[in-house]
Amino acid sequence: MDRSRALLALLSLLLLSRGAAAELALPSGLQLHGFASQGAVHTSSNRFHGDSPETSLDFTEIGLNASWRLSPRLLLAGQVLSRRAGDMSDGWPKVDFALADINLFMQDSHRAGMRLGRLKNRLGLYNETRDVPFTHPGIFLPQVVYFDKVRNLVLATDGIQLHGELYQPFGTLSATLATGRPVVDENVEAALLRGQIPGAIEPRENSWLASLWFHSPAERIKVGLSGAAIALRQDWNLTRAHPRIDLTYWIASAQYNAERWSLSTEYMGLPFRGRDFQPVRPDLNQTSEGYYAQLTYRLRQPLELMLRYEEGFANRDDRDGRTLERQTQGLIPEHAGSSRILSLGLRWDVSRHWMLRTEYQRHIGSFILSEIENPNLLEHDKHWDLFAVQAAFRF
């Protein structure tokens, strides 16, 4: 079965599942949900989710998920996702998550549990639900924090997670601690190595992830700190030692929700350590960072306006990228080390099941671009514009 037929099969299954959920009495505790979206992306230059300078339609997401509460102590849940995103993802259906959630103990004031399987990582405000278009603040998440170009590395983990909640009159405190194998693909390899060194990247050991959150009553205020420590190695035989990469990806998050508007801001730090790449590349010891401020305003039912400004840097000690350009003898231009993005978007909830979106972005720099889609860094344009529209359906 080729990829087009697989995509069609998943879409057909989504529609059939919607009909089954509407017409048949499902077993007690079983829920079925699904979504599908199609986007069109046009850029003034540079490729983003396909051949966007010529207007790309290669931005499609189809998901089918189920959850089954077998008992008060055990929940099974999973999702199959087909995601086409230009050259970064070909749309082949994959298991997005599949887990067993076990309640270890539960009281009125607190609860603790354990999850096993392929787990969505609780990182920042949006990572757990980043596959569902209806949960996004815009068509695209803030790219300087939620990089699409290395999406799979931080999206999910195959392992185990402990989670707990403490319920108090002033709000809810929740925490998670997880460990497991990260998911590494060619997008991660291209982003971390920039095509300079041959060979594949693989996990060196289990990743460790943790989060701590506070939610006020009715979730008017959300504050959180979350992070992941990821250890990788490269299969490269020019030296006796395998090159090593150590990443610490962490996000500080804050959100305020009023009746008609929400204000969100996040800061991401990404210390990067590269060892034993000699003689091709010197050891690296630098920290990437990204941050944004975002306002969503509900004009009137069913319209919502989004305004966001974000900045991201490959090396916070080299924000203008001049050192990077000098060290690479001009092979990596200075503007490839940073991105400054101003976004304006409009959401229209046509009905309970349908949503339409449009978004405009003004970019300065090309840090957020995928190296898979834009392999020649010297051809990146520093100043570029993006315009996108999206239609989404759910049941």
Side-chain angles (χ1 to χ4, degrees), residues 26-70:
L26 297 176
S28 176
L30 177 62
Q31 296 187 24
L32 291 176
H33 297 283
F35 60 89
S37 69
Q38 176 62 53
V41 184
H42 177 78
T43 56
S44 58
S45 60
N46 302 324
R47 290 169 57 92
F48 191 80
H49 288 61
D51 190 11
S52 52
E54 299 296 328
T55 304
S56 171
L57 298 177
D58 294 335
F59 182 35
T60 309
E61 294 176 305
I62 302 173
L64 179 64
N65 60 71
S67 64
W68 194 356
R69 175 66 69 180
L70 294 177

Side-chain angles (χ1 to χ4, degrees), residues 140-159:
F140 305 106
L141 292 179
Q143 288 297 293
V144 301
V145 173
Y146 302 94
F147 300 101
D148 275 352
K149 65 179 183 178
V150 291
R151 173 181 177 275
N152 286 341
L153 184 63
V154 296
L155 177 67
T157 299
D158 295 330

Side-chain angles (χ1 to χ4, degrees), residues 106-218:
M106 181 168 57
Q107 301 292 334
D108 291 340
S109 62
H110 58 276
R111 181 173 75 96
M114 176 175 62
R115 298 186 181 109
L116 304 169
R118 173 159 290 186
L119 314 170
K120 280 294 189 66
N121 296 329
R122 192 173 189 186
L123 295 169
L125 293 169
Y126 302 112
N127 190 69
E128 278 188 303
T129 59
R130 69 186 296 169
D131 293 320
V132 184
F134 288 84
T135 65
H136 290 188
I139 296 177
F140 305 106
L141 292 179
Q143 288 297 293
V144 301
V145 173
Y146 302 94
F147 300 101
D148 275 352
K149 65 179 183 178
V150 291
R151 173 181 177 275
N152 286 341
L153 184 63
V154 296
L155 177 67
T157 299
D158 295 330
I160 182 173
Q161 180 193 85
L162 299 176
H163 62 92
E165 291 83 36
L166 177 64
Y167 311 109
Q168 295 294 318
F170 58 82
T172 300
L173 290 170
S174 62
T176 63
L177 177 64
T179 185
R181 305 297 278 183
V183 179
V184 179
D185 61 12
E186 61 180 4
N187 292 290
V188 175
E189 294 170 359
L192 296 182
L193 302 179
R194 300 202 171 197
Q196 298 172 333
I197 304 172
I201 289 180
E202 59 187 23
R204 194 171 79 242
E205 57 189 52
N206 282 356
S207 296
W208 287 90
L209 306 98
S211 70
L212 180 64
W213 288 86
F214 168 74
H215 293 186
S216 69

Side-chain angles (χ1 to χ4, degrees), residues 52 86 93 97 105 128 132 144 146 150 169 173 189 229 236 255 266 285 302 334 355 368 370 377 380 394:
S52 52
F97 66 89
F105 57 85
E128 278 188 303
V132 184
V144 301
Y146 302 94
V150 291
L173 290 170
E189 294 170 359
W236 191 52
Q255 185 178 77
E266 293 189 283
N285 188 346
E334 52 88 15
M355 177 189 70
I368 60 97
S370 162
L377 276 65
H380 292 186
R394 66 179 172 183

Side-chain angles (χ1 to χ4, degrees), residues 366-377:
S366 58
F367 172 49
I368 60 97
L369 291 178
S370 162
E371 286 78 6
I372 291 284
E373 294 199 303
N374 302 269
N376 189 344
L377 276 65

